[in-house]
């Protein structure tokens, strides 16, 4: 079973040289710590920055330089600033190669729910609906089950949707799965996790073909 | 042409009860601190505020919420504000949550003289309820209208006496878009310069969009999430 950092580490293997990438809040943010050596990836922050760098050194923080999670950050050589319309313009136009975000539920059709729980305080969707409606390649980093032990990989989402037919890949503490033709296709198991456990914790349609390898790190 | 005002209070003097306002900023980054302070002082009520966020309890739009000046909030994300939550749950405050890119593009449309735009954000979700859907190249889009706001309140880094504006880093965010979208746009700047001081090639918002400008004072520029690396890490 993977911890959150290992989920991020596995997702980082999906990055390719030259990718422009938007990372959501939570586990996706950790992906930036595992960018493979020798490739250049440009991180987009939807509040108006391409080329997001690490947190500043203590004392160097600047109130005018934050990421979409409102954290103080830095630029890198080659960074560019722009306004919010251009930011979502480049997202809408498909210029961002990969978006990784968290989710409360994902369906076997690639629908995602991650912004609202009825009966609880609704904080808003922020940029998530724009990202999932437009990005070419959307991956989800999340736990396989909710705190009650119920599967988050479902035949259909029960929570209000953020977007439909958009998620391509899901990485959880148990497995890597692609979403193809209305099913979760099991690609890899976390070290020490059995296919039976993944089957038991996946409520949506699951395709298991042949031997499923363990993830490599 | 006289665009320069001596203070925030003078610049917002005709913002009255029931006005619709666009307020720049993302979180607390690049918000029009001086205009908000002046509105808190003048106390117009029944305001409709369009802004990406609603501030925090004791800063930004949160200060106007404390005084119950806001009737309706249109935003994309409204966490980090207990008074906001209380007014929402008690029904005192009306809230419309819209996708962040939709918010930005509805401002852009207003500034570009376009009545509406099509965006895929929210298709198939509750955001789409009641909206016209059009299909282009086999993909569905929602019709979203340009904002129609009485005033835009924006904050820039530098500005000149002709109203030209330059923003700094991620404090740009919604500010240039809202500046274009207001019927009357009021810009507060950290540094107000004589016309001709700014390089015309470096101007983000041309002064034609800015009706009033003033030198802001006492900027707090609060940080919501101070995240740093320690030297030994």
């Amino acid at each position: 079973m993977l911890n959150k950092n290992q989920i991020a580490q596995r997702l980082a293997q999906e990055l390719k040289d030259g990718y422009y990438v938007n990372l959501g809040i939570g586990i996706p943010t950790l992906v930036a710590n595992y960018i493979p050596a020798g490739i250049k990836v440009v991180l987009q922050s939807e509040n108006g920055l391409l080329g997001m760098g690490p947190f500043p050194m203590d004392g160097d923080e600047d109130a005018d330089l934050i990421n979409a999670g409102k954290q103080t950050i830095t630029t890198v050589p080659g960074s560019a600033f722009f306004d919010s319309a251009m930011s979502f313009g480049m997202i809408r136009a498909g210029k961002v190669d990969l978006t990784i975000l968290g989710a409360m539920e994902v369906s076997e059709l690639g629908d995602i729910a991650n912004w609202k729980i009825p009966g609880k305080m609704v904080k808003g969707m922020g940029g998530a609906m724009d990202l999932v409606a437009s990005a070419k390649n959307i991956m989800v980093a999340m736990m396989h089950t909710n705190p009650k032990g119920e599967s988050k990989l479902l035949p259909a989402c029960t929570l209000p949707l953020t977007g439909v037919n958009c998620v391509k890949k899901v990485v959880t503490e148990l497995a890597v799965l692609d979403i193809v033709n209305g099913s979760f296709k099991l690609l890899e198991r976390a070290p020490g996790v059995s296919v039976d456990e993944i089957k038991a914790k996946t409520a949506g349609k699951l395709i298991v073909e042949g031997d499923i390898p363990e993830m490599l790190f | 042409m006289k665009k320069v005002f001596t203070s925030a209070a003078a610049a917002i003097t005709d913002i009255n009860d029931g006005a619709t306002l666009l307020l720049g900023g993302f979180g607390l980054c690049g918000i029009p601190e001086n205009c908000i302070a002046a509105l808190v002082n003048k106390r117009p009520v029944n305001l409709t505020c369009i802004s990406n966020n609603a501030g925090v309890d004791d800063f930004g739009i949160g200060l106007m919420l404390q005084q119950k000046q806001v009737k309706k909030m249109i935003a994309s994300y409204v966490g980090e504000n207990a008074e906001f939550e209380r007014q929402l749950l008690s029904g005192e405050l009306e809230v419309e949550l819209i996708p962040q890119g939709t918010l930005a593009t509805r401002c852009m449309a207003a500034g570009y003289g376009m009545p509406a735009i099509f965006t895929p954000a929210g298709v198939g979700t509750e955001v789409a309820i009641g909206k016209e859907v059009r299909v282009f190249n086999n993909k569905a889009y929602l019709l979203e209208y340009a904002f129609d706001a009485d005033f835009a309140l924006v904050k820039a880094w530098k500005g000149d006496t002709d109203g030209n504006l330059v923003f700094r880093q991620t404090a740009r965010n919604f500010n240039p878009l809202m500046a274009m979208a207001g019927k009357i746009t009021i810009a507060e700047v950290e540094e107000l310069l004589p016309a001709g001081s700014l390089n015309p090639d470096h101007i983000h918002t041309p002064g034609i969009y800015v009706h009033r400008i003033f030198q802001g004072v006492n900027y707090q520029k609060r940080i919501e999430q101070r995240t740093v690396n320690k030297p030994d890490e």
Side-chain angles (χ1 to χ4, degrees), chain B:
Chain B
M1 178 166 21
K2 190 184 172 302
K3 295 190 178 186
V4 177
F5 281 62
T6 51
S7 67
I12 62 111
T13 186
D14 55 348
I15 298 183
N16 294 316
D17 294 356
T20 296
L21 312 179
L22 293 156
L23 294 105
F26 181 94
L28 300 179
C29 180
I31 60 172
E33 295 184 18
N34 282 236
C35 283
I36 290 170
L39 285 169
V40 165
N41 235 358
K42 183 179 181 327
R43 287 206 180 205
V45 296
N46 289 323
L47 300 173
T48 296
C49 291
I50 304 166
S51 191
N52 190 55
N53 311 92
V56 295
D57 273 319
D58 63 345
F59 204 55
I61 293 172
L63 296 171
M64 292 198 284
L65 287 163
Q66 295 281 2
Q67 297 196 135
K68 302 192 171 63
Q69 292 175 263
V70 184
K71 177 188 69 177
K72 180 175 182 180
M73 186 79 222
I74 300 174
S76 87
Y77 190 83
V78 293
E80 4 288 350
N81 194 322
E83 175 61 16
F84 181 97
E85 188 170 343
R86 190 198 67 71
Q87 290 183 22
L88 174 61
L89 295 174
S90 70
E92 293 165 61
L93 178 68
E94 190 184 339
V95 178
E96 185 181 342
L97 293 169
I98 64 176
Q100 194 176 136
T102 301
L103 177 63
T105 313
R106 289 175 67 187
C107 293
M108 189 197 77
Y112 277 34
M114 302 185 297
I117 52 111
F118 285 101
T119 177
V123 167
T125 76
E126 63 185 53
V127 166
I129 293 169
K131 290 178 182 160
E132 183 180 337
V133 179
R134 282 276 298 271
V135 175
F136 300 93
N137 300 320
N138 298 316
K139 182 167 173 149
Y141 295 79
L142 301 183
L143 179 72
E144 298 276 7
Y145 292 97
F147 284 122
D148 181 19
D150 302 310
F151 295 89
L153 311 178
V154 304
K155 191 258 172 179
W157 178 35
K158 294 177 181 178
D160 71 21
T161 49
D162 280 354
N164 296 302
L165 303 178
V166 176
F167 303 92
R168 183 170 178 273
Q169 302 188 138
T170 56
R172 191 181 317 183
N173 56 62
F174 288 85
N175 281 301
L177 304 162
M178 291 182 170
M180 294 196 307
K183 281 197 199 72
I184 294 175
T185 290
I186 304 169
E188 57 175 88
V189 296
E190 289 182 55
E191 194 178 354
L192 182 61
L193 300 161
S197 308
L198 297 168
N199 182 333
D201 266 335
H202 294 174
I203 286 165
H204 295 130
T205 297
I208 192 169
Y209 286 115
V210 176
H211 307 90
R212 304 173 189 172
I213 190 166
F214 66 92
Q215 167 77 59
V217 292
N218 300 326
Y219 280 104
Q220 295 189 35
K221 295 176 72 163
R222 285 202 205 170
I223 293 174
E224 261 178 273
Q225 307 283 340
R226 187 179 300 274
T227 46
V228 296
N229 283 311
K230 301 285 186 198
D232 56 349
E233 280 176 4

